[in-house]
Amino acid sequence: MPLTSPMVPLFDTHVHLDFLPDLPTALARADAAGVGRFVVPGVSLIQCRRLPALAAESAAILIAPGLHPLHADEWGESFAAELEHLLEHPHAVAVGEVGLDRNSRSPAVNQERLLRRLIGLARNLGKPLLIHQRRAIGRVLEILRQERADGVGGILHAFSGSLESARQAIDLGFALGIGGVVTHPQSRRLPELVRQLPADWLVLETDAPDLPPHPHRGSDNRPEYLPLIAARVAELRHWSRDDTARITSGNAARILGLAAD
């Protein structure tokens, strides 16, 4: 399937540009494919410190400083103060990537404590959240409700849950990040969700260099592949390519508090 460029730029709401080997080339290829904005989430303490320099590379690069649950044990009061400062950066649009990961060796109690703390920080700063969850969607939704995360909303990254959990997330003000899994030939549940969910709560993401779309499984993902995900969503929703770009990019801008392109 060709990577045709829609007139309305696509918005990659979750991409690890700083993990790619050749950033200038990756940005140039993404631009040629019609991808106009990127959100780069925080993962670790060291990586978060590099996000302002990354944002200086292009006006299209937005950042979401935070701490991935795989790195929950790095949390401390000194980093808390540093993180708040990072979130004051003019390109900082969200607190992320935060959440729960049942595959992590970090104890669940530490992950949950960190998630609650970061929800509180997001609420204090009035910034949305980028939520990571692996095998923990029910508990994540429970904590989001308890901590009143509906006051800021955000995006559930790489969503692959049930229709009921999707509806609960939307009720809390969270859009659903649709990535490469929707393009996989054996994928059944996610395509059906994309067909059924309200149009104004769908956003697109690559998660590059992870989770490559079909037919690139087995190789590193790239932000230039976002049109493949957009094309599959367009097919499922019976939208044009430009409608898909306009709707999903508009949704991302609304959720992140940005002016639409």
Side-chain angles (χ1 to χ4, degrees):
M1 186 180 296
L3 302 184
T4 55
S5 174
M7 293 182 65
V8 178
L10 292 167
F11 197 141
D12 192 340
T13 62
H14 198 107
V15 55
H16 300 278
L17 291 176
D18 46 341
F19 294 170
L20 302 179
D22 184 347
L23 179 62
T25 298
L27 290 176
R29 289 177 173 172
D31 180 67
V35 186
R37 275 175 166 174
F38 314 86
V39 178
V40 181
V43 176
S44 67
L45 187 158
I46 291 173
Q47 181 259 354
C48 275
R49 290 171 175 164
R50 296 197 295 257
L51 288 178
L54 180 71
E57 294 289 331
S58 171
I61 299 175
L62 306 168
I63 59 176
L67 197 59
H68 193 289
L70 293 175
H71 294 270
D73 295 339
E74 295 181 10
W75 182 257
E77 289 308 312
S78 61
F79 181 50
E82 190 173 355
L83 180 58
E84 189 161 355
H85 177 70
L86 288 169
L87 286 162
E88 294 172 353
H89 189 280
H91 284 213
V93 296
V95 179
E97 156 181 13
V98 304
L100 302 179
D101 193 313
R102 296 309 189 209
N103 288 355
S104 172
R105 286 177 289 184
S106 178
V109 64
N110 291 353
Q111 293 185 44
E112 293 193 8
R113 185 184 302 118
L114 174 61
L115 177 56
R116 292 180 189 276
R117 180 71 180 270
L118 292 175
I119 293 171
L121 178 60
R123 292 181 66 247
N124 288 341
L125 297 176
K127 290 189 181 294
L129 291 144
L130 300 187
I131 298 293
H132 169 100
Q133 71 78 30
R134 184 154 31 185
R135 298 173 50 217
I137 184 64
R139 184 61 175 156
V140 162
L141 290 170
E142 183 179 12
I143 291 174
L144 292 176
R145 281 191 292 268
Q146 291 172 349
E147 300 298 324
R148 295 175 292 146
D150 57 335
V152 291
I155 298 170
L156 260 64
H157 149 61
F159 187 80
S160 61
S162 67
L163 180 59
E164 178 56 30
S165 60
R167 287 171 171 162
Q168 290 180 40
I170 290 170
D171 287 345
L172 289 166
F174 283 81
L176 308 171
I178 307 302
V181 172
V182 78
T183 70
H184 297 172
Q186 78 278 18
S187 183
R188 295 291 179 267
R189 182 164 70 174
L190 186 56
E192 190 57 35
L193 285 175
V194 169
R195 289 188 185 98
Q196 296 186 52
L197 291 172
D200 51 353
W201 292 99
L202 297 174
V203 299
L204 305 181
E205 61 171 69
T206 59
D207 199 24
D210 299 322
L211 296 178
H214 179 76
H216 299 287
R217 297 177 73 187
S219 61
D220 284 345
N221 199 359
R222 300 175 183 176
E224 68 192 81
Y225 295 158
L226 191 64
L228 293 172
I229 298 165
R232 179 61 172 146
V233 170
E235 178 185 22
L236 293 166
R237 298 292 307 215
H238 304 292
W239 292 339
S240 70
R241 292 289 190 94
D242 281 334
D243 282 344
T244 303
R246 175 180 55 79
I247 292 167
T248 59
S249 295
N251 293 343
R254 183 188 82 245
I255 292 291
L256 298 171
L258 303 169
D261 281 341

